[in-house]
Amino acid sequence: MEKLDIVKETRDAYAYLKRRSSKLVHFSFQSKGESIPVYLNSELYNWTIENLVKNGIDAMKGKGHVSIEIIPVGKNVQILVSDTGSGIPRRDYNNIFNPGVTSKKRGWGLGLSLVKRIVEEYHKGKIKVLSSSKEGTIMQITLKVAE
Ligand SMILES: Nc1ncnc2c1ncn2[C@@H]1O[C@H](COP(=O)(O)OP(=O)(O)O)[C@@H](O)[C@H]1O
Ligand SMILES: [Mg+2]
């Protein structure tokens, strides 16, 4: 774990994913803070963002909008990853974090279970489905800002 700027880490992960994705996926990035220190494992955090973005792209069948937003809230910072995919039924909001849960033909259903462990056990943060509908999904990570 290292004290790193979550805005830079997230923007770098975002730029990398944008560069490697289809032109049919539109990306946007927004941060309400300029530089926000958080204790992070950079590799695990990057992997987490990549997994959330890939799930979003899967849910929109390769075409739509992915957006990442960083919002400082008191002693915490929220990272929102939104997509314009098909959404998650409300009864599955918690379920999708369990290993082996997948709706994909070739899915393993392991991504979100590892993402949850990385965020909650490793970084002592929180992750949840903030909202979801037929218009898309917003995943929310909450981490503590470093002193
Ligand atoms: N952004 C999303 N939009 C719609 N469904 C999602 C999204 N993220 C996750 N899911 C659902 O949660 C399931 C589990 O995701 P994950 O653990 O990453 O496994 P996998 O991607 O291998 O299916 C997915 O199969 C999908 O049904
Ligand atoms: Mg996945």
Side-chain angles (χ1 to χ4, degrees), residues 61-86:
K61 301 197 173 70
K63 190 178 165 192
H65 205 115
V66 169
S67 86
I68 300 182
E69 198 176 343
I70 299 181
I71 309 169
V73 182
K75 291 180 172 169
N76 296 322
V77 57
Q78 294 174 355
I79 303 97
L80 306 184
V81 179
S82 314
D83 65 68
T84 53
S86 51

Side-chain angles (χ1 to χ4, degrees), residues 18 21-27 53 57 60 62-66:
K18 180 177 172 176
S21 296
S22 146
K23 293 287 166 284
L24 298 176
V25 181
H26 295 272
F27 281 84
V53 167
I57 294 173
M60 59 176 76
K63 190 178 165 192
H65 205 115
V66 169

Side-chain angles (χ1 to χ4, degrees), residues 86-99:
S86 51
I88 303 164
R90 182 169 284 275
R91 63 175 180 280
D92 292 334
Y93 278 18
N94 294 317
N95 211 12
I96 55 169
F97 294 100
N98 292 330

Side-chain angles (χ1 to χ4, degrees), residues 14-23 27 50 54:
Y14 160 85
Y16 172 80
L17 291 163
K18 180 177 172 176
R19 205 161 55 234
R20 294 190 359 153
S21 296
S22 146
K23 293 287 166 284
F27 281 84
E50 177 169 347
K54 285 195 168 155

